[in-house]
Amino acid sequence: MAHRFLSSTNRFSARFAFIFTVSLSCTYLCYSILFCRSTVMTNRGYEGRRCPPSKNAGGKKLLGKLDNCASLEVRSALDGSAAPRGYSDLRNIKATASSGSHSDDMKLRNMSVAQKYGNKKLPNALIVGVKKGGTRAVLEFIRIHPDVRALGTEPHFFDRNYDRGLDWYRGLMPRTLDSQITLEKTPSYFVTREAPRRICSMSHETKLIVVVRNPVTRAISDYTQTLSKKPDIPTFEELAFKNKSEGLVDSSWNAIRIGMYILHLENWLQYFRLSQMHFVSGERLITDPAGEMGRVQDFLGLKRIITDKHFYFNRTKGFPCLKKPESSSQPRCLGKSKGRTHVQIEREVIEQLQEFYRPFNIKFFETVGQDFKWD
């Protein structure tokens, strides 16, 4: 009886072991099939959705809050493939972009990535003045740098639209990556009494660019622009002088007052250090655009990518233009309103105005530590 019981038990154990082994084998086989299929699909079409832990901590510094999935898509957009690359590689690419088509290509890539993954931020730097000094040229020239994103229009936030609030102002800005500078230009800021205080309240570390020009030439250019819009205005001499025969200049006329740079600068220096301000020579911007833009890039902490290879002199307009990038069929010159012929002013009038501006110019040169040689 005992022998029969033991025999039955052994058969049951063997049967159980066989069933367990078969079940385990089937489970392993199914798992292997599913795993292989998942791997094949991932390799072929789903690389952009896999989020392996990033091995490069530098990625966080470049794109900030982007997660690993977004980081992989950014690298794919830049490289043209889904092959994983660290953001240090992106920085190396940008470091080697020196001029010509390479920097143009890098600019387009950075713009594309910024538009998709960037954030709208308050500007790091402002071109605050001066009107008819060359601010549009500086904006257009610096915009070709891959690390700069600039607002093309003048928002006039700190002089006309301040009551709309910083959120409205931020909403106007282009999207930028953390590694890029956000920039805007409004030349009237320099002569607006409230602008320095308002900008300082936004950020006391804002970098400020001021484009200055011989104040006499600037006033004539200002008048020429106004005359093109209002042909019935009085003559330049009538507006510039209270009494021409006595040489009494009317400093209340805005075209004259803007050129009294030192008076406006003293207001800015109540809120900003002189080291936060960079003064561009409007004259040198025409004769040596690469040199002036090199100093602007240094001031903004950018690599000198914009060089003399980017410019050619347009004799018709009388100022430099950007050479044709590979992505465009035309060179980039400033608009038709730039380079217009100035109205003819009597030599005596010019000399009287030079004499009027001389003490203001001298003090301005001493304050900024530069001689712009306007005499």
Side-chain angles (χ1 to χ4, degrees):
M1 184 71 178
H3 176 73
R4 185 179 300 174
F5 174 78
L6 290 174
S7 177
S8 176
T9 300
N10 289 339
R11 285 197 301 272
F12 176 80
S13 298
R15 186 175 301 171
F16 176 82
F18 173 77
I19 293 173
F20 177 80
T21 302
V22 171
S23 300
L24 186 62
S25 298
C26 291
T27 301
Y28 177 77
L29 181 60
C30 292
Y31 176 82
S32 298
I33 292 173
L34 291 173
F35 178 80
C36 289
R37 181 176 181 272
S38 175
T39 302
V40 170
M41 290 181 67
T42 301
N43 288 339
R44 289 182 177 178
Y46 287 55
E47 185 65 25
R49 298 184 183 178
R50 289 199 302 135
C51 304
S54 175
K55 295 182 180 180
N56 188 350
K60 294 181 180 179
K61 296 181 180 179
L62 182 62
L63 293 182
K65 299 180 180 180
L66 290 182
D67 58 17
N68 288 333
C69 286
S71 300
L72 185 58
E73 291 184 42
V74 170
R75 291 194 293 267
S76 300
L78 290 171
D79 302 333
S81 69
R85 291 180 60 183
Y87 281 111
S88 59
D89 294 337
L90 172 57
R91 286 174 174 166
N92 289 337
I93 292 174
K94 290 162 73 174
T96 57
S98 57
S99 63
S101 61
H102 197 172
S103 61
D104 293 331
D105 184 54
M106 199 66 218
K107 173 69 175 179
L108 292 173
R109 289 184 179 186
N110 277 11
M111 287 179 60
S112 176
V113 175
Q115 288 169 356
K116 187 172 183 180
Y117 299 106
N119 298 310
K120 291 191 174 187
K121 298 178 295 185
L122 293 171
N124 314 86
L126 299 171
I127 301 175
V128 298
V130 300
K131 180 184 179 184
K132 307 309 295 180
T135 57
R136 172 56 62 177
V138 172
L139 180 71
E140 293 302 321
F141 294 164
I142 197 62
R143 287 176 79 180
I144 69 174
H145 198 292
D147 288 335
V148 173
R149 296 277 285 135
L151 184 65
T153 57
E154 298 175 6
H156 285 279
F157 175 66
F158 294 105
D159 57 350
R160 303 177 190 171
N161 296 302
Y162 194 65
D163 59 341
R164 292 176 178 262
L166 285 175
D167 288 340
W168 176 84
Y169 183 50
R170 183 189 290 109
L172 300 177
M173 297 300 127
R175 293 185 180 275
T176 56
L177 305 178
D178 287 347
S179 63
Q180 293 176 312
I181 289 175
T182 304
L183 179 72
E184 75 108 324
K185 159 189 105 72
T186 304
S188 55
Y189 289 163
F190 189 66
V191 297
T192 300
R193 188 73 185 174
E194 300 80 14
R197 175 181 55 81
R198 291 170 174 177
I199 294 172
C200 185
S201 67
M202 175 186 72
S203 172
H204 62 276
E205 296 299 326
T206 304
K207 292 186 175 183
L208 307 168
I209 297 173
V210 186
V211 190
V212 291
R213 183 183 185 185
N214 185 319
V216 179
T217 309
R218 196 221 65 81
I220 296 172
S221 178
D222 197 340
Y223 174 80
T224 301
Q225 182 183 55
T226 303
L227 185 64
S228 68
K229 301 175 181 178
K230 301 176 180 179
D232 57 341
I233 61 173
T235 65
F236 179 86
E237 290 83 353
E238 289 177 298
L239 294 170
F241 293 93
K242 292 180 179 179
N243 188 320
K244 183 177 177 297
S245 61
E246 297 181 10
L248 294 178
V249 176
D250 188 355
S251 59
S252 65
W253 185 33
N254 199 45
I256 294 294
R257 188 164 185 79
I258 289 174
M260 301 161 70
Y261 302 136
I262 185 60
L263 299 185
H264 309 297
L265 178 60
E266 287 173 345
N267 183 35
W268 286 87
L269 292 178
Q270 295 181 42
Y271 299 92
F272 293 95
R273 304 181 303 276
L274 191 62
S275 60
Q276 290 178 255
M277 306 185 74
H278 179 71
F279 299 89
V280 177
S281 166
E283 288 78 16
R284 289 197 299 265
L285 191 62
I286 294 174
T287 59
D288 181 23
E292 280 302 295
M293 294 311 299
R295 286 181 279 275
V296 171
Q297 291 170 89
D298 293 343
F299 172 69
L300 294 176
L302 301 170
K303 180 180 175 62
R304 283 199 178 196
I305 289 178
I306 305 168
T307 67
D308 54 1
K309 296 179 181 180
H310 287 87
F311 301 98
Y312 78 95
F313 190 79
N314 186 310
R315 297 186 180 279
T316 302
K317 285 183 170 291
F319 54 75
C321 297
L322 292 169
K323 290 182 180 178
K324 178 180 73 68
E326 289 188 357
S327 58
S328 173
S329 60
Q330 297 292 332
R332 285 172 55 187
C333 277
L334 301 183
K336 294 180 180 179
S337 64
K338 309 299 180 181
R340 61 165 63 95
T341 303
H342 290 178
V343 296
Q344 293 297 311
I345 306 297
E346 293 179 6
R347 184 64 196 173
E348 180 186 359
V349 171
I350 293 176
E351 290 175 352
Q352 287 177 311
L353 289 177
Q354 286 177 333
E355 190 64 28
F356 168 79
Y357 279 120
R358 184 168 289 111
F360 297 102
N361 291 344
I362 291 173
K363 191 172 181 181
F364 177 68
F365 297 165
E366 292 174 347
T367 303
V368 304
Q370 295 185 56
D371 185 351
F372 292 90
K373 303 185 184 303
W374 292 329
D375 292 328

